[in-house]
Amino acid sequence: MAEVLEFRVPAGSAHTLLVWGLEPQAGLEHSLFSAFSRFGPLYSVRARGNAAVAGPGYCGVIKFYSAGDASRAQRAYNGQRLFQKCPLKVCVCPKQKGIQQQAPALSSNKCQELANHYLGFNGWSSHIITLQKVSGLDGENEELGQSSQQGSTKFLCALEVTLPQHGVCSRGVAVGQADVGDGQDPLELITATRRAQKLAVGKALSGAFQKILLIVLENGKVAVEYNSCQEEPTDSLTEEELKGLVQVKVVDIE
């Protein structure tokens, strides 16, 4: 069997393990991360005190990107002591009923972590096609919950991610915005400009990864597919056309 991984926040109970019987100690979350990350990359690790009805002690919540990795960790560690004296109880999170909504996209940093693990540091690359200052994009202030009177700087980024070993290229286009106050402080303006640029690049990188699917096989090998269902109008433009994207009013940027 194979498992399909998207560059989105892992959703569903099969990706999450509950760890009971933890003893209070310094660096507990670090110890959990070290132990469970042996089975695969982790999205998050949390440790917290038990509820009063559960008695003293701590419990942990471990979220894997891969449900297969979570299952292997559960079978291996349930009933084991690991880094403490008492054995732990490790179980898969109970299934939650309700409407399943599409999970949010991973941040650019998380996308890079996942890509580095499954594709290798040299298995992918990205380059910025264009990063340009823009203003007055219709509806943008409303989407970001800001009024048009506030001073801000906005940058648009078009970026391409390439996976040479798999022959896959994917593009992302995004806008980053940062407040500049009254615009009178040059240092504040420079800081806001860098923040807006960084935000635009990060969102564009994450957007490009949303169109990539990782197919993890049982033998550990990884195949890649391009998710054409996530294609945008900008994917059909040439790099020269993308550089003039601000003038292409019919393009829906996000």
Side-chain angles (χ1 to χ4, degrees), residues 35-47:
F36 283 87
S37 61
R38 297 170 188 170
F39 294 89
L42 306 179
Y43 173 74
S44 64
V45 175
R46 289 180 294 156

Side-chain angles (χ1 to χ4, degrees), residues 92 138 165 185 190 192 233:
V92 177
D138 293 340
Q165 297 177 6
D185 186 345
I190 292 173

Side-chain angles (χ1 to χ4, degrees), residues 71-185:
S71 179
R72 286 188 289 273
Q74 189 276 331
R75 293 194 302 270
Y77 282 166
N78 187 36
Q80 301 299 313
R81 291 180 172 82
L82 298 184
F83 47 81
Q84 61 178 41
K85 297 179 180 179
C86 297
L88 298 172
K89 181 180 180 181
V90 182
C91 60
V92 177
C93 182
K95 292 185 178 180
Q96 300 177 352
K97 297 181 180 180
I99 300 175
Q100 297 294 325
Q101 299 180 342
Q102 187 179 40
L106 290 176
S107 67
S108 59
N109 289 337
K110 290 290 187 180
C111 285
Q112 292 177 74
E113 288 179 10
L114 198 58
N116 289 338
H117 178 83
Y118 286 104
L119 303 173
F121 289 93
N122 298 321
W124 67 279
S125 64
S126 66
H127 80 278
I128 295 172
I129 298 172
T130 183
L131 180 61
Q132 51 186 301
K133 188 174 182 179
V134 296
S135 62
L137 293 175
D138 293 340
E140 191 177 325
N141 287 327
E142 290 76 11
E143 290 178 4
L144 295 173
Q146 297 178 341
S147 65
S148 58
Q149 285 74 27
Q150 289 180 306
S152 63
T153 183
K154 308 170 191 174
F155 279 81
L156 180 145
C157 177
L159 177 149
E160 185 173 74
V161 170
T162 304
L163 282 60
Q165 297 177 6
H166 301 276
V168 171
C169 293
S170 178
R171 288 176 177 176
V173 179
V175 170
Q177 175 173 318
D179 293 334
V180 295
D182 58 11
Q184 301 301 311
D185 186 345

Side-chain angles (χ1 to χ4, degrees), residues 211 226-236:
K211 303 167 192 175
Y226 179 77
N227 186 6
S228 58
C229 296
Q230 299 288 334
E231 281 190 341
E232 300 170 305
T234 52
D235 294 334
S236 61

